[in-house]
Amino acid sequence: MSKVKMHRSSPSIDMTPMVDLAFLLVTFFMLTATAKPDEPVEVSIPSSVSEMPIPERDMIVITISKDNKVFFTVDGQTTRAKMLEEVGKQYNVTFSPEETHDFAVLTSFGIPIQTLKQFLDLGREERKEIPQPGIPVDSLNNQLKDWVLQARLANPKVRIAIKGDADSTYPVLKKVINTLLDRKVNRFNLITGDEQLPPEMKAAINASKKPA
Amino acid sequence: MAEIQGGGGEGGKKGGKVRSKKTSTRIDMTPMVDLAFLLLTFFVLTSTLSKPQTMEITMPEKPKENDKQPEVNEKKVLTLVLGANDKVYWYVGITEPEAKRVDFSKDGIRKVLIEKKAEIRDLIVLIKAMDESKYRNMVDIMDEITITGIQRFAIVDITPADKEIVKEVR
C-alpha cells in the first residue's frame, strides 16, 4: 500500500528553491557585470604580483598588441568627442556629427587620423573586419602624443595606463613611454593580471613598504 | 519540467476534471526557469570576473641640458640587462664587470637580487632592456624588484657598451 502512495507524490519536484537561487545569481551577475568591451585586438596581459586595483573611470588606455601596434582609448563620450574635434583641427580633418557620434561610442582604435574619417564612414560590422594599422608613434609622425594631449585637455582627471601584450617587444613600449614623458606624464600604470604570491613573500613586501 | 505527473497511464484514464483540480494550485515554472538560466548563462559568460590589476611606475623627468646628473658609486650599481628569449644578464659595477646569465625562475634572478641586496648597502638597480626583450620581461623584472623589496631602481636605455659586455656571455 505504501508503495503506491510514494509513487504518486515523488516525481513532482518543488522547483521553487532552485528558481530562487537562479534568480539570485542572475541578479548578482547583472549588478556586478561590466560587459566586455569589444577590442580591435586581443591582448594577453602579463601577470604580476601587484595588487592595486585599476580605476574604472577617467582612464586613457594605450594598448600595445602582439604585433607591436598601438591602440588608444579613453572613456567618456564627451571627452572623446571633444578630443576628436581638437585633434581633427590640428590635422585639418573635420568630422560630421554622425562621425563624431560613431567615434564617441567606439572602443579602442588604432587608425591614423588621416584615414580615421573613412574608417568611421564604414558600417559597424565592416569596421570590425578591417585590420587596424595602429597609431603612429614614430618620432617624425607621432599622433599618439596629440591624442594624449587632447584627451587630457578634454578631461584633466584622466590617468594613463599601458596595456601591453606579454609578447610585444620593448622598443614599442619605449616609444610609448617616451611619448608620455615628452608630455610630462611621469606617472602611469601598467595593466597586469593576477599572480599569486607565496604568503611569506607577501609579508616581506608589506614589511618593506612600511618604512618607505 | 516543473511537474511530472505521477503514474502517467493511470492519470489518463481518470476524468479531466479531477486532474485539473489536483494541479490547479501549481504553476508550471518551466519557462521561467528556462529564462532564468538563460540569463544566468549569459551574464556568467559575458562578465569579466577577474579584474586586471595595475602596476604604477613613476619615471623621472627627462633631464634638461644643464641638469647635473647625480653621481653614484659604481660598486653599488647592479645592472640587469633583459635579453632575448627570457634571459637576464647581470653584473655589478661599470668598469670591466663580469656578467652572468640567469633566467626569470625563482632560483634565477630573484636569488641574485636577494643576495646582492644583503651584500651591498644602498643598492641601485639599473634595468636595461634590449630591443629583443619582451614586455613580459619588463613586468617580470619589476615584479622581482617589488618582491625583493629593492627601493632604488631605474629603467635606463641600453648602451653599446652593455651590449658588448652581454655578448661575451652568450
Side-chain angles (χ1 to χ4, degrees), chain B residues 4 11 36 57 70-71 103 112 143 149 160 163:
Chain B
I4 301 159
I57 52 172
E71 287 171 8
D103 54 14
V112 173
D143 252 9
K163 283 183 188 167

Coordinates of all heavy atoms in Angstrom, one line a residue, chain B residues 4 11 36 57 70-71 103 112 143 149 160 163:
Chain B
I4 N 6.1 16.7 -12.9 CA 5.9 15.5 -13.7 C 4.8 14.7 -13.1 O 4.8 14.4 -11.9 CB 7.2 14.6 -13.6 CG1 8.4 15.5 -14.2 CG2 7.0 13.4 -14.4 CD1 9.7 15.0 -13.8
G11 N -3.3 8.2 -14.8 CA -3.9 9.5 -14.8 C -4.8 9.7 -16.0 O -5.8 10.4 -16.0
A36 N 15.4 32.1 -16.6 CA 16.4 32.4 -15.5 C 17.7 31.9 -15.8 O 18.7 32.6 -15.7 CB 15.9 31.9 -14.2
I57 N 54.1 52.9 -12.2 CA 55.5 53.3 -12.2 C 55.7 54.8 -12.4 O 54.9 55.4 -13.1 CB 56.3 52.5 -13.3 CG1 55.6 52.6 -14.7 CG2 56.5 51.1 -12.9 CD1 56.4 52.1 -15.8
P70 N 73.2 63.1 -10.8 CA 73.8 62.7 -9.6 C 74.8 61.6 -9.8 O 74.6 60.7 -10.7 CB 72.6 62.2 -8.7 CG 71.6 61.8 -9.7 CD 71.8 62.8 -10.9
E71 N 75.9 61.7 -9.1 CA 77.0 60.7 -9.2 C 76.7 59.5 -8.2 O 76.4 59.8 -7.1 CB 78.3 61.3 -9.0 CG 78.7 62.2 -10.2 CD 80.0 63.0 -9.9 OE1 80.6 62.8 -8.9 OE2 80.3 63.9 -10.7
D103 N 67.9 33.2 -15.5 CA 66.5 33.3 -16.1 C 65.6 33.9 -15.0 O 66.0 34.3 -14.0 CB 66.1 32.0 -16.6 CG 66.1 30.9 -15.5 OD1 66.3 31.3 -14.4 OD2 66.0 29.7 -15.9
V112 N 69.7 36.2 -7.1 CA 70.7 37.2 -7.3 C 70.4 38.5 -6.6 O 71.2 39.1 -5.9 CB 70.9 37.5 -8.8 CG1 71.9 38.6 -9.0 CG2 71.4 36.2 -9.5
D143 N 58.4 43.1 -11.0 CA 57.8 42.2 -10.0 C 58.9 41.8 -9.0 O 58.7 41.8 -7.8 CB 57.2 41.0 -10.7 CG 55.7 41.1 -10.6 OD1 55.2 42.1 -10.3 OD2 55.1 40.1 -11.0
G149 N 62.0 43.8 -2.5 CA 61.9 45.0 -1.7 C 63.1 46.0 -2.0 O 63.5 46.6 -1.0
P160 N 75.7 50.7 -26.2 CA 76.5 49.7 -26.9 C 77.5 49.0 -26.0 O 77.8 47.8 -26.2 CB 77.3 50.6 -28.0 CG 76.4 51.8 -28.1 CD 75.7 52.0 -26.8
K163 N 75.8 46.1 -24.5 CA 75.6 45.0 -25.4 C 76.9 44.2 -25.6 O 76.8 43.0 -25.7 CB 75.2 45.6 -26.8 CG 73.7 46.0 -26.7 CD 73.3 46.5 -28.1 CE 71.9 47.1 -28.0 NZ 71.5 47.9 -29.2

